[in-house]
Amino acid sequence: MSVFFPVHRPRVGLSFSEQGLALVELQRGWRKLEIARVAERPLPEKALHPSATEPNILQREIVEQELRVLLQQTSDRTVALCLPDRACHLAIFPFETLPPRDRDREPILRWRFQHEEHVTLGGDAQIIQRVFPVPRHASGTTATEKPEGQVTAYVLAMAIRRTVLDQYQRLCEQVGLLPVSISCAALWMFDFYRPAMVQAAELLFVHQAADSMTCFAIRQGVPVFCRSKARRLGQGDPRREIQSTVQFYDDLYPHGEAAPSAGPIPLYLVGDGPSRSEAPWSPGGQASWLVQPIQPDWKTLVGARSESLQTPEALCALACAVGR
């Protein structure tokens, strides 16, 4: 399995959520991608329940049946999978000295998940990692200064238990699918929308799902902060959750020299949340931290003749089909 770097780029993206399944099939043109097919199947309540520690697919026969229906008109069996954010743990870790190989970093990341994120990972958990070196010109302008020294790189890590991951993989194998690229919704959406985000000195990206919220903070092009919060379906105030997360980030990483000289800090929203028409707002009354919600348009990233996407699940399927 290849999670962040597939063997080859599939044309089909498949997303799983508590609400249902979604499939997007792409046609890769010479200049731009186009959506060839969009299909969705709802799932009954309690058929699939995202969890980082417990079984996710609770009614396997029903989920498998709906997946087979979804695939009836799709001949390509190589797919990219988008899993719910709640099925895994996400974190960003700063490093002063970065071990050069993934396998050398993995035990360090396991330890830091446990001691810094208070997440107990079993020995079967898989760690997926992506390294973001801190540019030399960014020294002193990003969150690189720590009491113990200077940060040279940040590692964005996703941890998922093997028992959870195996459920999705076995289901795919049962219907004849070969998953060559697997990740969670927040990471797929972050990668998908990065070309549409302005190159600001500092920005925020929020993926707001029906049952969770994930926020990334980026300084000088480097992700330096990540926070995920679960919530009950349809409950909670998305804006208040975002405000508390931004305030937490502000307390953890004071602006210092990175504070903007003028204008609001852009906050890119994907999914449910405050609309793009809202005026800038501040999480804690700080004039330097006015946030301007922006809803990026997926149509700017694929062909104009593409089919319409009506649900967040379909957008996640598109994001993982497009890939990095």
Side-chain angles (χ1 to χ4, degrees):
M1 182 191 66
S2 179
V3 179
F4 282 144
F5 302 100
V7 176
H8 70 276
R9 185 173 296 180
R11 295 188 304 112
V12 177
L14 175 64
S15 71
F16 290 85
S17 77
E18 198 164 0
Q19 291 70 47
L21 312 174
L23 178 146
V24 170
E25 187 171 353
L26 297 177
Q27 178 179 347
R28 297 187 181 276
W30 184 63
R31 291 190 175 182
K32 205 165 190 179
L33 297 172
E34 291 187 358
I35 300 175
R37 176 172 177 252
V38 179
E40 297 188 65
R41 297 293 297 181
L43 291 177
E45 188 177 359
K46 297 182 180 180
L48 190 152
H49 179 68
S51 170
T53 57
E54 303 294 333
N56 282 211
I57 303 174
L58 305 182
Q59 298 180 27
R60 182 183 178 86
E61 292 184 359
I62 293 178
V63 178
E64 180 180 332
Q65 178 183 350
E66 295 299 335
L67 183 54
R68 289 187 183 276
V69 174
L70 199 68
L71 295 170
Q72 285 179 351
Q73 300 181 36
T74 301
S75 58
D76 196 337
R77 290 307 193 232
T78 302
V79 300
L81 293 189
C82 179
L83 305 185
D85 291 343
R86 289 176 59 194
C88 65
H89 299 285
L90 288 173
I92 293 176
F93 299 107
F95 278 80
E96 296 176 52
T97 303
L98 187 70
R101 296 180 296 185
D102 287 3
R103 65 183 184 183
D104 295 330
R105 292 191 293 267
E106 184 169 319
I108 301 174
L109 293 172
R110 289 179 181 273
W111 187 90
R112 295 184 71 169
F113 263 113
Q114 180 173 348
H115 292 274
E116 297 179 19
E117 298 295 320
H118 308 292
V119 172
T120 300
L121 300 177
D124 65 344
Q126 179 157 349
I127 306 291
I128 310 304
Q129 50 183 294
R130 192 187 304 175
V131 176
F132 292 87
V134 174
R136 291 185 178 181
H137 67 81
S139 179
T141 62
T142 62
T144 59
E145 297 299 332
K146 296 291 182 181
E148 62 274 17
Q150 188 178 59
V151 175
T152 61
Y154 287 84
V155 175
L156 173 56
M158 183 184 84
I160 183 167
R161 293 198 175 194
R162 173 56 63 179
T163 52
V164 172
L165 183 59
D166 282 351
Q167 276 199 304
Y168 292 98
Q169 288 185 304
R170 285 197 299 266
L171 178 64
C172 289
E173 293 170 0
Q174 191 69 28
V175 299
L177 292 177
L178 175 62
V180 297
S181 185
I182 305 174
S183 192
C184 67
L187 291 179
W188 282 126
M189 299 290 267
F190 176 63
D191 281 336
F192 178 67
Y193 278 116
R194 285 187 75 181
M197 294 189 286
V198 299
Q199 298 301 311
E202 184 168 25
L203 60 88
L204 300 172
F205 178 87
V206 174
H207 175 242
Q208 186 81 35
D211 58 355
S212 64
M213 184 274 295
T214 302
C215 176
F216 297 108
I218 298 93
R219 288 185 174 181
Q220 303 293 341
V222 178
V224 299
F225 168 86
C226 171
R227 190 187 195 196
S228 295
K229 294 183 64 178
R231 63 186 180 93
R232 293 183 179 179
L233 287 172
Q235 296 186 3
D237 182 354
R239 178 162 163 166
R240 181 172 296 178
E241 291 175 353
I242 295 172
Q243 285 179 311
S244 64
T245 297
V246 173
Q247 184 64 63
F248 177 73
Y249 162 65
D250 195 30
D251 293 340
L252 190 64
Y253 290 118
H255 294 294
E257 295 181 17
S261 58
I265 293 176
L267 183 149
Y268 290 88
L269 288 170
V270 176
D272 300 327
S275 69
R276 73 179 74 188
S277 61
E278 291 193 19
W281 44 272
S282 171
Q286 300 180 33
S288 63
W289 246 115
L290 292 176
V291 176
Q292 174 65 66
I294 302 172
Q295 289 274 7
D297 188 353
W298 62 268
K299 294 180 181 179
T300 63
L301 302 172
V302 295
R305 294 180 297 173
S306 294
E307 294 189 37
S308 179
L309 301 178
Q310 303 296 332
T311 66
E313 290 77 23
L315 184 57
C316 286
L318 171 64
C320 68
V322 172
R324 294 185 58 188

